[in-house]
């Protein structure tokens, strides 16, 4: 989200979703009896083309920023002194902690 993908995120199942809303819906012609009938000039199409290319370049920059942010996140995770725990490891650790607490409660009683 910090890279400009506002409607994006990571779900509880660790699936990443990115969504982008850049779009252009500009009618430039219509079909009549199987033939294309333009309703704008060639100069106007050139303007639309320039705007479209600008949007593509902005999108490429955002994707590059996202890629860099993800790479930095992984680099930071690898530098971290705490190892990343898998779901299985976490489940086993929580189970062991629960059993230990249970034994301590039984000793107190």
């Amino acid at each position: 989200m910090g890279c400009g993908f506002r409607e994006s995120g990571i779900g509880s199942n660790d699936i990443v979703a990115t969504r982008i809303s850049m779009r252009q819906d500009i009618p430039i012609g219509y079909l009549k009896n199987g033939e294309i009938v333009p309703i704008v000039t060639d100069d106007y199409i050139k303007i639309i083309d320039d705007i479209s290319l600008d949007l593509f370049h902005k999108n490429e920059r955002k994707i590059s920023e996202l890629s860099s942010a993800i790479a930095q996140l992984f680099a930071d995770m690898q530098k971290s002194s705490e190892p990343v725990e898998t779901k299985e490891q976490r489940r086993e650790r929580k189970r062991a902690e629960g059993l230990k607490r249970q034994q301590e409660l039984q000793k107190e009683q």
Side-chain angles (χ1 to χ4, degrees):
M1 291 177 71
C3 296
F5 295 94
R6 298 283 175 233
E7 298 177 22
S8 304
I10 301 174
S12 59
N13 54 0
D14 297 331
I15 291 179
V16 176
T18 56
R19 187 171 173 194
I20 191 160
S21 60
M22 288 185 193
R23 60 184 277 180
Q24 281 185 302
D25 292 329
I26 303 170
I28 58 172
Y30 60 94
L31 195 60
K32 182 176 183 179
N33 298 327
E35 289 191 36
I36 298 172
V37 180
I39 59 174
V40 297
T41 65
D42 288 344
D43 290 337
Y44 187 70
I45 290 178
K46 174 68 175 132
I47 292 168
I48 294 170
D49 183 51
D50 291 342
I51 293 170
S52 298
L53 287 173
D54 185 49
L55 288 174
F56 275 111
H57 293 303
K58 285 179 183 178
N59 193 37
E60 285 177 340
R61 281 193 300 272
K62 286 174 70 172
I63 290 171
S64 178
E65 288 175 24
L66 177 62
S67 179
S68 295
I70 291 170
Q72 185 62 49
L73 178 67
F74 280 114
D76 291 347
M77 288 172 57
Q78 289 177 344
K79 290 178 188 175
S80 174
S81 60
E82 297 178 24
V84 177
E85 190 174 52
T86 67
K87 288 182 180 182
E88 180 65 31
Q89 290 169 331
R90 182 178 189 279
R91 184 174 48 203
E92 286 300 316
R93 179 178 55 82
K94 290 291 198 176
R95 182 178 174 276
E97 289 172 1
L99 288 172
K100 183 178 177 183
R101 253 193 323 267
Q102 191 177 37
Q103 289 173 352
E104 289 172 358
L105 286 173
Q106 287 176 353
K107 285 181 185 178
E108 289 177 10
Q109 293 175 353

